[in-house]
Amino acid sequence: MDFLFTKEQEEFREKVIALLNTAEIQEKRKMIKKANLDSDPREIYRILGEQGLLAPNFPSEFGGLNKTLIEAAILVEEMSNSGIPEALHVLTSLIIGNVILLSATKSQKEKYLPQLADGSKNACILYSEPKHGSDLSSLESRAYNNEDLGTYSIFGRKVYSMKTHISDYGLIAVRTSEKQSKYDGLSLFMVPLNSEGVTISEIPSLSDESLYEVILDGVVVDNTCMIGKENDGWSVINKALSVERTGLDYFVRAKRWFDLIYTREINNIPTESTLIELSRLRCKLDASRYLTYKVINEFNRLGAVDESLSAISKLYASELACEVVWKGHELRGVEACLKDNHGYSELYGSLESAYREAPGLTLSAGTSEMMLETISKLRLTI
């Protein structure tokens, strides 16, 4: 292991834990869990934002604490441990916020980052399309440059986005020109989702967290909404994918589901072999955790993520999440997984819900097959 938390980072963790376990936040957590399966945690985010904790890696001038992505990851980990929905936060601050930090102009940073840091605005990712899924080189959505007006008109259809219904912006990838390479000619825009011409519809999903379709029919945005340079969106997207594929979002789910299984089973383990299997899973979780933080630490040091290492981390964490859930169902049985008499579902969710969600983790942010292809190209040599 070549990663250790510093004293300051451990102190930051303790501060986060103390705030997340206050009566005010825990009461709000219980209320949003009861209100809707597809939880809306924005009230909690605003409390974190008031304390400057929602985006700790942002510069202080934009509402952060001048810390690193390590602290941002610690926040996500502890939110999950406390039963607070973290998906919208990961999309808004950890992924899109860092894309803006890395690729936006100063005026764009001044516009967007304070809103994301205080929890008043949230954002989602609009990449995938019906015919092409995660193959961003084949995007068909288009943005047409209205040069005389200083605006773009966007047309297209995006699918399988998360938390779109409670997001204020969508970071959208579109084609702005036809280049010889399909990876050229792409551009990114921050689109206000309340714009005229935006239609958002829910897509039926097995998961408790809904997926959404977004249709953009001539949505007009000014040229200041473009993140990065025109036709150079692929380089910006790669930065976003690097942060998205650290494995963090997948590890915290695997850990949450393991806690649900282990807490229930620890006083009722029938055999020594079962205890050994659970111990092996715990070791795998430790490996996933340190691999995730290694990827993030590399990003802090170099300003970029090792693409093959992030692919390994994402692959390992998402497949491990599935393994954890399957073991839970093997131990508990289907009927037991549908019931909850211990109060754990209210905090962590249920194994039945996890069973429906887990397979999707091996698809989002790039399928396991795509991760294996990346690893084979960059790590395996003849």
Side-chain angles (χ1 to χ4, degrees):
M1 183 183 70
D2 58 359
F3 173 79
L4 291 172
F5 295 106
T6 66
K7 178 183 177 182
E8 290 75 18
Q9 288 164 348
E10 293 291 4
E11 290 173 349
F12 175 81
R13 184 187 298 277
E14 292 303 317
K15 183 177 181 179
V16 167
I17 291 172
L19 179 59
L20 294 180
N21 286 287
T22 58
E24 179 184 14
I25 285 186
Q26 286 301 308
E27 184 59 34
K28 289 185 180 297
R29 177 189 61 74
K30 293 177 183 178
M31 291 174 63
I32 63 175
K33 286 284 188 181
K34 291 178 181 178
N36 195 331
L37 288 174
D38 195 1
S39 305
D40 180 354
R42 288 177 292 178
E43 286 189 29
I44 294 177
Y45 291 2
R46 283 190 282 269
I47 295 174
L48 289 165
E50 290 171 359
Q51 300 291 323
L53 293 175
L54 193 58
N57 62 302
F58 287 11
S60 58
E61 62 182 305
F62 302 132
L65 297 175
N66 294 318
K67 294 188 179 295
T68 71
L69 273 178
I70 298 294
E71 284 81 3
I74 288 171
L75 172 62
V76 172
E77 187 179 355
E78 294 305 333
M79 286 173 68
S80 180
N81 289 341
S82 297
I84 295 166
E86 79 289 336
L88 179 62
H89 168 69
V90 170
L91 288 168
T92 298
S93 297
L94 203 62
I95 299 175
I96 296 175
N98 279 287
V99 168
I100 294 171
L101 277 172
L102 292 168
S103 303
T105 64
K106 182 178 179 181
S107 60
Q108 288 173 327
K109 292 176 184 179
E110 291 172 346
K111 175 181 179 180
Y112 295 118
L113 293 180
Q115 299 176 341
L116 306 185
D118 66 14
S120 61
K121 300 290 184 182
N122 291 278
C124 64
I125 293 174
L126 302 177
Y127 291 167
S128 297
E129 295 185 358
K131 295 181 182 178
H132 308 294
S134 299
D135 181 10
L136 302 184
S137 68
S138 300
L139 292 181
E140 295 182 0
S141 296
R142 295 295 301 261
Y144 297 94
N145 192 344
N146 308 312
E147 295 183 12
D148 295 340
L149 302 174
T151 63
Y152 288 82
S153 297
I154 301 176
F155 296 83
R157 180 186 175 199
K158 299 293 182 176
V159 292
Y160 309 132
S161 61
M162 291 181 58
K163 301 301 180 183
T164 319
H165 65 306
I166 51 176
S167 294
D168 303 282
Y169 297 105
L171 181 67
I172 183 170
V174 295
R175 193 166 295 283
T176 44
S177 71
E178 295 293 340
K179 298 284 186 177
Q180 186 173 1
S181 168
K182 288 185 177 181
Y183 291 100
D184 294 328
L186 301 180
S187 299
L188 283 180
F189 292 87
M190 281 285 279
V191 176
L193 293 179
N194 62 357
S195 299
E196 184 177 354
V198 174
T199 302
I200 300 172
S201 305
E202 185 175 348
I203 299 174
S205 168
L206 289 175
S207 173
D208 287 344
E209 291 188 317
S210 300
L211 300 175
Y212 292 87
E213 172 192 70
V214 180
I215 296 175
L216 302 103
D217 186 13
V219 178
V220 177
V221 296
D222 63 57
N223 52 22
T224 62
C225 294
M226 181 182 290
I227 306 298
K229 297 178 180 179
E230 186 178 69
N231 301 323
D232 192 36
W234 182 245
S235 65
V236 182
I237 289 170
N238 273 330
K239 294 176 184 178
L241 289 175
S242 293
V243 178
E244 193 173 356
R245 290 175 179 171
T246 60
L248 177 65
D249 197 25
Y250 308 92
F251 157 70
V252 296
R253 279 174 165 76
K255 169 66 163 52
R256 183 165 67 237
W257 294 334
F258 178 82
D259 288 344
L260 179 61
I261 299 165
Y262 192 79
T263 304
R264 286 176 165 185
E265 291 295 331
I266 190 63
N267 295 319
N268 189 34
I269 295 175
T271 64
E272 183 179 352
S273 63
T274 300
L275 179 59
I276 291 172
E277 288 184 76
L278 289 172
S279 297
R280 284 174 176 166
L281 282 179
R282 183 184 288 280
C283 290
K284 288 185 176 182
L285 282 166
D286 287 342
S288 180
R289 182 172 186 255
Y290 284 111
L291 180 56
T292 293
Y293 277 104
K294 180 177 181 179
V295 174
I296 294 171
N297 195 43
E298 287 290 293
F299 191 95
N300 284 329
R301 287 196 315 110
L302 305 175
V305 168
D306 181 326
E307 187 178 353
S308 62
L309 186 63
S310 64
I312 292 170
S313 183
K314 193 274 173 180
L315 173 69
Y316 190 84
S318 58
E319 295 289 345
L320 177 58
C322 293
E323 184 180 354
V324 166
V325 172
W326 295 333
K327 177 54 63 176
H329 275 258
E330 179 185 321
L331 292 174
R332 299 290 300 170
V334 174
E335 184 177 354
C337 291
L338 293 173
K339 299 178 180 178
D340 180 65
N341 300 317
H342 303 81
Y344 300 121
S345 288
E346 194 274 329
L347 180 61
Y348 295 121
S350 69
L351 282 174
E352 185 271 336
S353 173
Y355 190 79
R356 289 183 280 109
E357 181 181 355
L361 302 186
T362 66
L363 301 175
S364 66
T367 65
S368 292
E369 289 75 15
M370 291 172 65
M371 298 302 100
L372 287 169
E373 182 180 8
T374 298
I375 296 165
S376 66
K377 286 181 178 179
L378 300 178
R379 286 275 173 149
L380 302 181
T381 57
I382 297 177

